[in-house]
Amino acid sequence: MRKWIIAGGMALGLGACAAVPEAAPVQTVTPPVISTSGLERVLGHDARALVALFGQPNLDVREDQARKLQFAGPICVLDAYLYPKGGREPVVTYLDARQPDGRDIDRASCIAALIASRKR
């Protein structure tokens, strides 16, 4: 019986020596930084300010309290999404820009192009 106790103890001791796999390092995913530089003439402004800046929109879509204004020029198409804040009039909270063929374009560049095309 004593042999079995010693053998069992040795087996447990050897089992403790088994290599324990290390956990893989945790990789954090950083969301892309979306710059708002050059967007200050539009973000946070209401529909009247956008019309004053770009002229009449090519598209004006309303859904509940939200609103989407679309402005198009020879260089790009700008979609401005307006949402109410604190019971006030809706203001631009998000912008999307694309070239007329659908390819992406920098939002600030699109704003500048639309303003320039209106001044002509």
Side-chain angles (χ1 to χ4, degrees), residues 2-114:
R2 184 178 171 132
K3 286 183 187 181
W4 290 107
I5 293 174
I6 293 173
M10 289 178 68
L12 289 174
L14 289 175
C17 293
V20 177
E22 285 189 34
V26 176
Q27 293 181 347
T28 57
V29 177
T30 305
V33 176
I34 300 175
S35 174
T36 58
S37 179
L39 307 180
E40 52 277 336
R41 294 183 77 179
V42 178
L43 284 177
H45 293 274
D46 62 17
R48 283 186 296 260
L50 296 181
V51 170
L53 187 61
F54 301 122
Q56 289 301 314
N58 297 80
L59 185 65
D60 186 346
V61 179
R62 296 172 193 252
E63 186 175 315
D64 292 325
Q65 294 179 346
R67 189 173 181 186
K68 172 185 155 183
L69 297 177
Q70 185 178 87
F71 301 93
I75 305 295
C76 65
V77 177
L78 181 74
D79 293 322
Y81 298 90
L82 297 87
Y83 297 95
K85 282 190 175 182
R88 296 186 335 209
E89 185 173 355
V91 295
V92 178
T93 58
Y94 181 75
L95 294 168
D96 190 29
R98 63 191 172 284
Q99 296 178 34
D101 65 4
R103 290 180 294 149
D104 286 339
I105 189 170
D106 177 69
R107 297 175 300 166
S109 298
C110 182
I111 291 169
L114 289 171

